[in-house]
Amino acid sequence: MTIVTSYDCPDIDGVACMIAYTEFLNASGTPAKAVYYGDPSLEVKFVKQYTGYFPVEKHSGEYDSNDRFILLDTADPDAIEPTIPPEHVIELFDHRELVFTEQFVNAKKTIELVGSCATLIVERLRGRQVTSSPNAAVYLYSAIVSNTVNFKNSVTTARDKDAANYLKTLIDLPDDYVERMFESKSNISAENLYEVIFQDISIKTIDGKRVSVAQIEIIDLEPTLNRLKEQFMGVLNRLKKEENIKYFFFSGIDLLKGYNVLLTIDEQSEKVLSEALGIPQQAEHKTDSILMRKQLWPKIEAVLRKLDK
Ligand SMILES: [Mn+2]
């Protein structure tokens, strides 16, 4: 069986790509199944509820030794379900500058720096003259809008806009759809704060040290941070400890106003961030425009590698 999957706790981009690519494989005579691992993001839950369509199964345990895997929206062997043997991955798509892809020795790789992996999937399907189902198109459109922060962040390319415009010809969404989707992931409270941050945490090992960038993307970022200041600090300290993180960074993105608030909770991390971004050394920093986590990582990594020498 061909298993189509993404990284642990997939976001809307990973899930949209899985759904659309699995549809395409099945339509072209390759029996395939989409599975996820962990818990999908709040945005995924919103689109699932909006469409009433979710042809993706939660997986746990072992796979069959005959299974072959297609990875979408990831090319990171550390981010996928641990029971997937890297040599059984036959194809992968990602849109980030990555790094450890040589482990996937048998995979056909499509890694191109566009705003959303969904854009790569749309282009592949259009190239094969295959039209996604309307529900799959809603997922793909949502993924592009989400990853590009409604075409506002600097990872957005003309290819993302083209793909989104094409998808709009397949579907009919209400005018307030994007706002509703963004609102859906902004329902942050003292009760779900830990879960929301943990769900989208990114951890890498750099020169033997665990480094993490936690990110949330919401509307009304500053009022939310102010309202839940104490709880935020509590959750960040807890995660740093629980996950045994040496350098820990938190990045909040305001989806509608288009800025970040970056937080650190220890002096070492504060120093690294200050050097990475050329900003004053302080625990809290607000940016003028959106800085995505995938843009933050290479800057942090460069400082840490220099630091070690
Ligand atoms: Mn993505």
Side-chain angles (χ1 to χ4, degrees):
M1 178 64 109
T2 300
I3 307 287
V4 178
T5 192
S6 186
Y7 46 85
D8 183 5
C9 297
D11 70 1
I12 185 67
D13 199 22
V15 170
C17 292
M18 283 189 235
I19 289 175
Y21 207 61
T22 304
E23 253 186 33
F24 159 70
L25 290 170
N26 283 314
S28 40
T30 303
K33 188 165 89 172
V35 310
Y36 68 95
Y37 176 67
D39 284 313
S41 71
L42 290 173
E43 252 172 338
V44 173
K45 290 172 186 158
F46 171 80
V47 184
K48 177 181 173 182
Q49 197 169 25
Y50 179 84
T51 56
Y53 182 67
F54 193 63
V56 191
E57 270 174 42
K58 189 174 172 105
H59 183 267
S60 60
E62 296 297 313
Y63 283 102
D64 192 278
S65 62
N66 292 319
D67 286 338
R68 291 297 176 268
F69 300 86
I70 296 177
L71 302 183
L72 298 173
D73 199 27
T74 186
D76 182 353
D78 292 331
I80 59 173
E81 192 173 355
T83 48
I84 298 174
E87 65 278 15
H88 288 178
V89 174
I90 53 171
E91 186 171 30
L92 61 83
F93 289 82
D94 198 9
H95 62 115
R96 277 162 282 220
E97 295 170 67
L98 259 169
V99 283
F100 320 103
T101 55
E102 68 280 359
Q103 284 194 32
F104 301 112
V105 282
N106 298 312
K108 213 168 15 163
K109 303 178 185 85
T110 304
I111 299 179
E112 294 173 29
L113 298 182
V114 290
S116 167
C117 192
T119 298
L120 301 177
I121 298 301
V122 170
E123 290 175 353
R124 170 62 59 91
L125 268 53
R126 288 184 81 182
R128 302 280 159 92
Q129 265 124 42
V130 171
T131 307
S132 293
S133 71
N135 282 329
V138 171
Y139 273 96
L140 291 166
Y141 180 77
S142 305
I144 297 173
V145 165
S146 171
N147 266 25
T148 62
V149 188
N150 209 13
F151 313 103
K152 274 208 297 254
N153 66 15
S154 61
V155 301
T156 311
T157 68
R159 289 166 64 183
D160 299 300
K161 291 178 186 165
D162 277 351
N165 284 332
Y166 159 75
L167 290 166
K168 277 210 273 193
T169 67
L170 306 179
I171 52 184
D172 191 17
L173 291 172
D175 291 342
D176 63 350
Y177 179 81
V178 170
E179 212 179 314
R180 275 164 60 192
M181 181 174 76
F182 285 166
E183 273 168 11
S184 76
K185 60 174 171 182
S186 303
N187 292 324
I188 291 186
S189 63
E191 287 70 43
N192 70 1
L193 187 62
Y194 176 85
E195 198 192 319
V196 169
I197 296 180
F198 179 68
Q199 195 274 329
D200 193 25
I201 198 165
S202 161
I203 301 172
K204 290 181 204 272
T205 302
I206 299 173
D207 288 338
K209 293 177 193 85
R210 282 167 67 79
V211 185
S212 175
V213 182
Q215 174 175 280
I216 59 165
E217 301 171 16
I218 60 172
I219 56 178
D220 291 331
L221 175 67
E222 271 184 318
T224 307
L225 285 174
N226 290 333
R227 184 165 51 86
L228 297 171
K229 187 105 207 175
E230 226 172 280
Q231 288 90 339
F232 263 97
M233 287 303 138
V235 166
L236 298 183
N237 278 295
R238 180 176 160 196
L239 281 166
K240 183 170 190 278
K241 206 166 152 192
E242 276 179 359
E243 298 296 321
N244 190 24
I245 307 296
K246 182 159 167 89
Y247 296 101
F248 190 55
F249 309 92
F250 169 82
S251 167
I253 294 176
D254 190 295
L255 291 168
L256 296 179
K257 301 214 177 87
Y259 64 85
N260 294 54
V261 172
L262 303 165
L263 301 176
T264 47
I265 51 172
D266 65 88
E267 212 179 312
Q268 283 176 309
S269 306
E270 195 179 299
K271 211 166 151 195
V272 169
L273 191 67
S274 145
E275 210 177 312
L277 299 180
I279 55 175
Q281 197 182 325
Q282 55 200 33
E284 184 169 338
H285 179 81
K286 184 175 169 180
T287 65
D288 302 325
S289 58
I290 295 177
L291 186 65
M292 302 302 288
R293 176 160 53 196
K294 58 174 89 57
Q295 299 170 290
L296 206 50
W297 264 125
K299 295 181 198 289
I300 290 170
E301 202 165 337
V303 173
L304 290 175
R305 295 213 186 273
K306 209 170 64 192
L307 208 79
D308 248 44
K309 285 194 183 106

